[in-house]
Amino acid sequence: MPDNIPPPALEPERPALKGRDRLIMVAMQLFAERGFDGVTVRDIAKEAGVSIGLINHHFDSKEGLRAAVDAHFLERTSKAIARGAREMASTDLEKMAEYQRNWIRQYADEWPSFAAYLRRAITENSEWGEHLFREYYDSISKMIMRFDAEGRVSDDADRLWLPLLYMFMLIGPLMLDPYVKAMMGKSTYDPEMWGRFQKAMKHLFWNGAAPR
């Protein structure tokens, strides 16, 4: 991959979400704030400004709605992981960091909700959190396996722990962002902070795993 990766074009302002998509985002926010068991279908309907019947129509139940939220979360984060995997081929870390800064600006309105949702799911130590953790791990593991097949992973790298270590580095900001913001005065998802984090993470990752 060439090093001169162009920044993504910023998207036009998105229209207000309606119907099924609005229910998914409202449910994600409420599950993140209160946990799955702390939210009722009535709470979600009220916050979204719709009838309970509309939730049943689209999702059958609260469990069906949570499955749709999980699918939306994993679809969006898997795209981010895949995009990151393509950028990992770049040897110009500063250009990669600038790409990441532009990318986080594009999705700045969504990522705080995703971070809070994963943080709540994992800390609840429930089947919900385990499911998300496994799905997230599978996305990263497939990325590492591709790198391995391309000969980009050193012979002495631990294949068991390599995807987990990369996952730990990604989950760290998701879990600890409130503390990072309190200590640094800026969220991890501030574009400048995110670009620096990605640059430092990939530098550390490849110095420790790339063949010499």
Side-chain angles (χ1 to χ4, degrees), residues 11-206:
E11 295 181 347
E13 185 175 348
R14 296 173 183 151
L17 295 176
K18 295 181 180 179
R20 186 177 187 277
D21 291 338
R22 175 163 174 75
L23 282 169
I24 287 173
M25 293 309 297
V26 167
M28 176 182 286
Q29 291 167 1
L30 291 179
F31 291 156
E33 291 171 5
R34 307 180 199 171
F36 179 72
D37 291 335
V39 178
T40 67
V41 173
R42 188 177 300 278
D43 293 333
I44 297 167
K46 181 179 179 181
E47 185 69 22
V50 301
S51 68
I52 293 176
L54 190 62
I55 295 177
N56 294 330
H57 170 72
H58 284 299
F59 309 104
D60 293 329
S61 64
K62 189 172 76 163
E63 287 75 15
L65 176 53
R66 184 177 68 180
V69 173
D70 286 352
H72 177 74
F73 171 86
L74 291 166
E75 187 268 342
R76 186 65 95 194
T77 53
S78 293
K79 282 185 178 180
I81 291 168
R83 185 187 296 266
R86 292 195 297 271
E87 293 170 37
M88 292 271 286
S90 174
T91 57
D92 190 326
L93 291 176
E94 186 50 49
K95 288 183 179 179
M96 181 277 299
E98 181 58 28
Y99 187 96
Q100 289 284 348
R101 283 189 283 269
N102 282 314
W103 189 86
I104 201 66
R105 289 186 188 103
Q106 184 173 348
Y107 293 104
D109 59 331
E110 294 180 347
W111 279 104
S113 294
F114 291 149
Y117 185 71
L118 181 59
R119 188 184 307 123
R120 169 69 75 167
I122 290 178
T123 54
E124 282 198 351
N125 192 27
S126 62
E127 290 184 8
W128 170 34
E130 182 179 350
H131 170 71
L132 277 180
F133 185 90
R134 286 181 179 275
E135 292 288 338
Y136 205 40
Y137 169 81
D138 286 345
S139 295
I140 293 169
S141 183
K142 289 174 184 177
M143 177 191 79
I144 299 296
M145 288 173 64
R146 286 199 301 272
F147 287 148
D148 201 3
E150 294 167 1
R152 300 183 59 205
V153 178
S154 64
D155 292 338
D156 62 350
D158 189 322
R159 266 63 177 176
L160 171 67
W161 278 101
L162 198 57
L164 284 166
L165 289 171
Y166 191 75
M167 184 177 184
F168 295 162
M169 288 191 285
L170 286 174
I171 286 183
L174 287 166
M175 301 298 292
L176 301 175
D177 188 56
Y179 302 106
V180 172
K181 187 174 183 180
M183 185 171 64
M184 302 291 190
K186 287 185 178 180
S187 167
T188 309
Y189 302 104
D190 171 85
E192 182 61 30
M193 292 282 281
W194 186 250
R196 288 185 63 179
F197 164 71
Q198 289 286 329
K199 178 181 176 181
M201 182 183 74
K202 286 174 177 133
H203 184 342
L204 176 64
F205 182 80
W206 283 121

